Amino acid sequence: MKSMADNKSTAQKKSGWRWLWYLLAIIVVVPLIGFATWVWGSLHLAYSSGERSGFIQKISNKGWVCKTWEGELAMTTTPGTAPQIFAFSVRDPSVAQQLMALDGKRAVLTYEQHRFVPTNCFGETEYYVTGAKEINQ
């Protein structure tokens, strides 16, 4: 038969391991929850939104592991001046298809700016296009 002292030492060993598991869970789980909250917040809370108009000059699906839709809009103030380039990302494939149909044409892009997105897997820029329509002149 085991003595009372043996039972206490076994219980102490088990509770010692239990605290190690709690500590490990806190060290791993809390940063994961924090990172997930940061990603969700940066992708769902827009810093600013607006529209830009110009000629869509590029739209492509880029990346080795994380494929993202990236594009450029050439904005000109008056004919004959150098265009200002607006680089953007697209998260919705249906919007990317709209943009490919408008490639080379004058268009108005509706966008949202999302600051502090933690990785390029969601887009290379902080400007995410949410819609596009052609300007008929």
Side-chain angles (χ1 to χ4, degrees):
M1 276 179 101
K2 290 187 176 181
S3 69
M4 189 75 99
D6 289 341
N7 286 339
K8 283 184 180 178
S9 67
T10 305
Q12 287 174 348
K13 286 179 185 177
K14 286 182 181 179
S15 68
W17 284 107
R18 186 177 304 148
W19 282 106
L20 181 63
W21 284 110
Y22 288 149
L23 182 63
L24 184 63
I26 288 171
I27 289 172
V28 172
V29 171
V30 169
L32 281 176
I33 290 171
F35 183 73
T37 303
W38 176 24
V39 169
W40 183 89
S42 66
L43 291 175
H44 289 88
L45 303 173
Y47 176 73
S48 70
S49 60
E51 291 184 338
R52 301 235 178 154
S53 64
F55 291 93
I56 298 176
Q57 68 179 24
K58 180 179 120 177
I59 181 76
S60 61
N61 195 6
K62 295 172 62 174
W64 292 103
V65 176
C66 300
K67 291 284 194 184
T68 61
W69 288 96
E70 307 297 329
E72 292 180 354
L73 181 75
M75 300 180 300
T76 57
T77 53
T78 57
T81 60
Q84 189 177 30
I85 303 298
F86 173 64
F88 60 86
S89 300
V90 182
R91 293 181 58 206
D92 186 1
S94 64
V95 174
Q97 295 299 322
Q98 278 182 320
L99 292 170
M100 284 192 288
L102 296 172
D103 195 17
K105 299 177 182 174
R106 188 167 172 85
V108 174
L109 303 183
T110 305
Y111 71 92
E112 292 180 347
Q113 182 181 10
H114 294 271
R115 311 253 338 239
F116 309 117
V117 177
T119 177
N120 284 350
C121 279
F122 301 107
E124 292 181 1
T125 70
E126 59 186 32
Y127 298 101
Y128 294 92
V129 172
T130 57
K133 58 186 173 186
E134 185 176 3
I135 297 175
N136 295 322
Q137 293 181 0

